[in-house]
Structure formats: C-alpha cells, structure tokens
Amino acid sequence: HVQLVESGGGSVQAGGSLRLSCSPSGYGHITKCMGWFRQAPGKEREGVAAIYTGDSRTVYYADSVKGRFAISADNAENTVYLQMNSLKPEDTAMYYCAADSTVLCWNPLVGSEYEYWGQGTQVTVS
C-alpha cells in the first residue's frame, strides 16, 4: 500500500508559478506510473500530467496545460514534481498525486487507472 503526500500548493497571482511535490510516506516508493490530477468545485476530476518513472522521460499532459506545466520524477529522492508556470485562474483546483502500480502507463490521464491517491493540495490562482 502506498500513501502519498503532496505539498507546494498555495495562492498565486495569474502568470505566477508553483511547484508541487509528491512523495510516498513511510517506506513506500513511487511507482512506475505517477500522475497529477485536479478537481475544481463543481467540476469533474481532470488528468493533468503523468510520467513513466522507468525512464523519467515519457510524459503525458492534458491539452489545457501543455507548454505551461512540467512533470518530473527524481527516483533517488523518491519524489514526483509538477512545475506549474504561467498559471491562470482556471487552474484553480485541488491537485492530487496518484500512483499506478502497473509496470507501464496504460491510460496515464485516466483517474480510474490509479490505485493510490494523496489527500490533495490546494492551488488558487487569482
């Protein structure tokens, strides 16, 4: 069982940047497929970005964040990051880290593919 802890959320003005971090607690390890999702009030959960940590180069992005967000993984630090630049008010949401225990990212931006979730960190852009 993997327990995930997110950090780095906060409030920022439009055009600003934030970096979210996600690490397993205790003795857990990041899995081969890690993703970031977000959910705004009254909206469905949206897959934002995902990474195959087997090579840490295979990445996936929602069209809404391409060119602005960057996901990365540091296997030595056992941490996944989401660098968010050029933030817009529509990026305001609770952001969740998720881990998929399968060996590949089959559907990396689909929430149902992921077994483990963090508690979320709030990002507010005004």
Side-chain angles (χ1 to χ4, degrees):
H1 184 74
V2 178
Q3 290 184 307
L4 302 171
V5 179
E6 304 98 333
S7 62
S11 296
V12 65
Q13 291 188 335
S17 299
L18 285 172
R19 188 176 80 156
L20 306 183
S21 300
C22 170
S23 296
S25 63
Y27 295 100
H29 294 277
I30 57 175
T31 60
K32 283 292 187 278
C33 191
M34 299 290 296
W36 285 98
F37 291 77
R38 66 186 180 187
Q39 188 165 23
K43 294 188 177 181
E44 292 188 354
R45 183 176 59 194
E46 175 189 19
V48 174
I51 186 168
Y52 172 61
T53 64
D55 60 15
S56 293
R57 293 192 301 272
T58 304
V59 294
Y60 310 86
Y61 295 102
D63 288 343
S64 58
V65 305
K66 280 181 182 176
R68 301 189 298 121
F69 290 12
I71 188 171
S72 60
D74 186 329
N75 286 291
E77 293 293 327
N78 204 26
T79 301
V80 176
Y81 301 97
L82 183 67
Q83 178 67 44
M84 306 186 294
N85 300 324
S86 301
L87 283 161
K88 304 175 181 179
E90 51 263 46
D91 295 318
T92 295
M94 185 71 79
Y95 282 71
Y96 299 90
C97 176
D100 178 358
S101 62
T102 57
V103 296
L104 292 173
C105 293
W106 296 110
N107 292 290
L109 297 182
V110 175
S112 58
E113 293 292 303
Y114 293 82
E115 296 101 312
Y116 308 109
W117 294 81
Q119 294 298 308
T121 185
Q122 178 68 37
V123 171
T124 302
V125 185
S126 59

